[in-house]
Amino acid sequence: MTIDTPKTNRLPWWTWVLPMVFFHVGSRASLFFQYDLGVASLYLPTATALLLIYWWGPWRVLPALYANAVFFTPLWGVPEMHLWFLYALPETIYVFLSWYIFSQRLRGDYTLPNNRDFWKFLIFGLTLPLAVEVLLLDAVHILNMDQTINNFQSNIARNFVGEFAGAFGFAVPALYFITPYLQKWNLLINRRTDLYIHQPLRGKRLAEAFVFYASTVILSFILDFEQYWFVYGIFALYLANRFGFGAALFANLLSIAFTYVVPVIALHSNPEIVDNNLVPISLGNSLLFVFAAITGRVISDLRLAERKLMVQNRELETTNKELDRFVYSVSHDLASPLKSILGLINISRLEPDQKNQLDYLGKMESSIKKLENFISEVLDYSRVNRVEVRPEVVRIKELCEEILFQLHVPGQPTPEVDLSGLEVTEITSDRLRTRIVLNNLISNAWKFRRPGETPHRIKLRSSVQSNRVAIEVSDNGEGIRPEYQSKIFDMFFRGSQKQSGSGLGLYIAKEAVDKMGGSISVQSTYGVGTTFVVEIPVTE
């Protein structure tokens, strides 16, 4: 998925205050899971900080996180005031490194829209920064003689498991599920345009998922966590294979909440179990949750690729049908004038009267012009589909006057043209496609005049509507029959066999407007007149 260049957003004032509140509540909750000096089986402030730094940026988050860590350090068993500022550094560095490496250096997408971004976040947004934090924290403990070098490895494992459980179990699902809503409410520091609201499960799929989620909750009160810890990972793996990434993350969130909260409540009376058994079990359980998330991300990517492939296949089938029709019609429309010219040449050779020969030459010229116009339309079709959209200044009035001048033929009736309604005379858009569109609409209005003595009139208008310019081309010509109005933008459609056009003009006009991200519509009353309205987005 392509990430748009972020634009800084102005956030409400309370986004400066709320991080401190969240960190305070998270620290209070984490103290409940403390089982040793500075160690908890579930640590929430850094998990919360990971969310907020990606959502609201480092200036709102890091100072508040550091101040909160300083304030709570004595509650974790460090009474010396001069050490509080030192003990608060590792977790602040952890959150900063996660944001800086993953978001700023690797340009990762923290909504984890694909397997590549998920792996980058897992390695560079979580694991490596967290490893730096626990190494620094335990080094500080050893230097302060709170711990011994003999327990260095086990202390690192305990700290890593507690921090990782909170970050992976709570921060990752929140980044994935909540970020699109914050964008919708304009509460992200960097504006995004490529996010979408994740569709919830419905019907039988929702019922099936609910059964497994409910089973996780029930089993957390029945099964012995030390013996059956792997069951939760198996549930998450099943849901990942069945429903994809979102279901796996929600299963992990639910499982971590119950497999960490419930055991810790029971284990407060027996810390020995925490040291000897719970850490490796929790580490293994976390690995299962990671594998479930990876599996879910792969499944979601495969399904997304499958949906894209199906859409592309349908588009390819449509394109092939149009190509077959295009080749047939082009060959017919190219051959018809050439055959007419060859026939006229053969007849003129047999005609001794010079006056008749001049008449034949005039008919040849007419066929050649018809062929020339058709080739011009084919070239327009090629340009519309091949050339990239290039915004530049387009002077609408001058462009219309140029088209009208080219349509004028001396000695032939000329309609009355009113350009006074062009309120917007200059826009920034794709000049080539704008010209193709206006040329087709104006030439049609010029050509299809109403039979009789009624003066033929064409009126052009333009107006601004939000970030789009609406251009109207109206005429009082013969109009379009109601049964044809839904077909006029089809390739090679002709209202009758009497019409001399190729049937490509309006199709090309619509293709050009679509390429520019605009729209074209028609209102017509047969025998009264027609109005085409083109809306073109403008670029600043």
Side-chain angles (χ1 to χ4, degrees):
M1 180 182 293
T2 302
I3 304 174
D4 292 344
T5 302
K7 297 181 179 179
T8 303
N9 189 26
R10 187 178 180 85
L11 296 176
W13 63 268
W14 47 262
T15 56
W16 291 93
V17 179
L18 210 56
M20 181 62 79
V21 176
F22 284 155
F23 299 151
H24 184 87
V25 173
S27 296
R28 288 288 179 187
S30 299
L31 285 170
F32 182 73
F33 301 103
Q34 180 182 7
Y35 59 85
D36 201 351
L37 178 64
V39 181
S41 61
L42 195 65
Y43 191 68
L44 299 176
T46 50
T48 308
L50 282 177
L51 292 174
L52 299 183
I53 197 170
Y54 287 107
W55 288 342
W56 296 345
W59 295 110
R60 288 171 171 80
V61 175
L62 295 178
L65 179 65
Y66 182 72
N68 179 80
V70 171
F71 178 80
F72 273 92
T73 296
L75 300 181
W76 288 94
V78 182
E80 298 89 348
M81 183 179 294
H82 66 280
L83 294 176
W84 298 352
F85 302 94
L86 184 60
Y87 275 98
L89 281 173
E91 63 186 79
T92 309
I93 293 172
Y94 160 43
V95 175
F96 168 76
L97 287 177
S98 174
W99 170 81
Y100 180 74
I101 296 174
F102 175 74
S103 180
Q104 302 302 302
R105 302 302 301 175
L106 299 179
R107 299 294 179 185
D109 187 346
Y110 57 84
T111 60
L112 314 177
N114 52 54
N115 197 40
R116 181 183 60 185
D117 279 298
F118 178 65
W119 270 106
K120 285 197 296 187
F121 186 79
L122 185 62
I123 296 172
F124 300 103
L126 282 183
T127 307
L128 290 182
L130 180 55
V132 172
E133 182 207 0
V134 295
L135 284 171
L136 289 175
L137 183 61
D138 281 279
V140 171
H141 278 304
I142 292 173
L143 291 174
N144 195 41
M145 299 183 183
D146 296 327
Q147 296 173 355
T148 64
I149 191 68
N150 296 330
N151 297 326
F152 187 71
Q153 185 175 353
S154 61
N155 291 336
I156 286 178
R158 293 188 304 167
N159 278 321
F160 189 91
V161 168
E163 294 264 15
F164 188 85
F168 188 80
F170 298 103
V172 172
L175 287 172
Y176 182 73
F177 287 112
I178 300 177
T179 302
Y181 293 97
L182 294 182
Q183 168 62 24
K184 183 179 178 181
W185 301 327
N186 203 28
L187 289 176
L188 294 180
I189 187 67
N190 292 325
R191 297 175 187 171
R192 299 282 298 275
T193 60
D194 56 348
L195 301 180
Y196 62 94
I197 303 298
H198 303 282
Q199 297 298 319
L201 299 175
R202 300 183 186 280
K204 294 181 179 179
R205 291 167 63 84
L206 177 61
E208 181 182 349
F210 179 78
V211 169
F212 277 87
Y213 291 141
S215 300
T216 302
V217 177
I218 295 170
L219 289 176
S220 66
F221 293 98
I222 298 175
L223 296 180
D224 183 358
F225 176 68
E226 290 186 62
Q227 295 183 17
Y228 299 101
W229 56 270
F230 56 87
V231 173
Y232 306 103
I234 293 174
F235 276 6
L237 281 169
Y238 172 80
L239 289 167
N241 278 280
R242 187 75 176 89
F243 304 114
F245 190 53
L249 291 183
F250 189 76
N252 290 344
L253 172 65
L254 201 62
S255 298
I256 287 176
F258 280 91
T259 58
Y260 279 78
V261 174
V262 174
V264 167
I265 294 175
L267 294 174
H268 262 292
S269 59
N270 190 358
E272 293 299 323
I273 299 178
V274 173
D275 288 333
N276 296 332
N277 297 323
L278 188 59
V279 171
I281 289 175
S282 298
L283 183 59
N285 206 26
S286 296
L287 287 175
L288 273 179
F289 293 147
V290 169
F291 294 149
I294 293 171
T295 303
R297 185 63 271 174
V298 172
I299 294 295
S300 292
D301 287 354
L302 288 174
R303 289 176 179 170
L304 180 61
E306 183 180 359
R307 286 195 293 270
K308 288 182 178 179
L309 185 61
M310 289 175 63
V311 171
Q312 290 173 352
N313 283 338
R314 285 196 294 268
E315 292 176 350
L316 185 60
E317 288 176 3
T318 303
T319 302
N320 285 336
K321 290 178 181 178
E322 288 184 351
L323 182 60
D324 290 341
R325 187 180 175 191
F326 181 78
V327 171
Y328 171 78
S329 298
V330 166
S331 61
H332 175 270
D333 287 348
L334 285 175
S336 180
L338 291 174
K339 289 178 180 178
S340 175
I341 293 169
L342 287 173
L344 290 167
I345 290 173
N346 290 329
I347 292 174
S348 64
R349 285 173 177 169
L350 301 174
E351 179 60 57
D353 191 343
Q354 187 176 4
K355 183 179 178 181
N356 289 336
Q357 287 182 348
L358 291 175
D359 184 46
Y360 295 148
L361 287 174
K363 291 180 179 179
M364 289 182 201
E365 182 183 15
S366 177
S367 294
I368 291 171
K369 285 183 177 179
K370 181 179 179 182
L371 184 60
E372 182 183 28
N373 290 334
F374 180 72
I375 292 173
S376 177
E377 287 185 337
V378 172
L379 290 174
D380 283 344
Y381 172 74
S382 175
R383 293 190 192 102
V384 163
N385 288 279
R386 178 175 50 83
V387 179
E388 293 292 329
V389 175
R390 293 185 297 180
E392 56 182 302
V393 175
V394 180
R395 295 178 174 85
I396 298 177
K397 189 173 182 180
E398 291 182 11
L399 187 59
C400 292
E401 290 173 344
E402 178 186 333
I403 293 169
L404 290 166
F405 177 78
Q406 292 176 352
L407 289 172
H408 177 71
V409 178
Q412 292 189 4
T414 301
E416 299 176 11
V417 181
D418 183 2
L419 301 180
S420 61
L422 293 174
E423 299 175 8
V424 181
T425 59
E426 186 176 291
I427 61 173
T428 302
S429 187
D430 187 288
R431 177 178 172 80
L432 170 65
R433 289 179 173 84
T434 304
R435 192 189 192 291
I436 289 173
V437 172
L438 291 177
N439 183 66
N440 278 291
L441 297 183
I442 294 173
S443 62
N444 278 352
W446 186 292
K447 180 167 52 177
F448 296 108
R449 62 182 302 150
R450 193 190 317 170
E453 300 299 325
T454 304
H456 189 196
R457 296 186 178 94
I458 300 174
K459 186 174 181 62
L460 283 88
R461 302 181 183 89
S462 64
S463 59
V464 177
Q465 299 178 0
S466 184
N467 63 334
R468 302 164 81 88
V469 169
I471 303 175
E472 295 184 15
V473 180
S474 304
D475 66 73
N476 65 341
E478 65 181 62
I480 305 170
R481 295 181 184 274
E483 61 269 25
Y484 295 154
Q485 291 184 20
S486 62
K487 304 176 182 178
I488 60 173
F489 296 112
D490 293 347
M491 182 183 285
F492 296 114
F493 175 77
R494 295 186 180 98
S496 70
Q497 295 301 319
K498 296 179 182 179
Q499 294 181 10
S500 59
S502 65
L504 273 176
L506 290 177
Y507 173 80
I508 293 172
K510 187 176 188 310
E511 287 285 300
V513 172
D514 290 344
K515 285 286 185 180
M516 292 189 289
S519 63
I520 183 171
S521 59
V522 62
Q523 294 179 347
S524 182
T525 302
Y526 185 67
V528 177
T530 303
T531 298
F532 283 92
V533 180
V534 177
E535 292 188 6
I536 303 174
V538 293
T539 306
E540 295 182 2

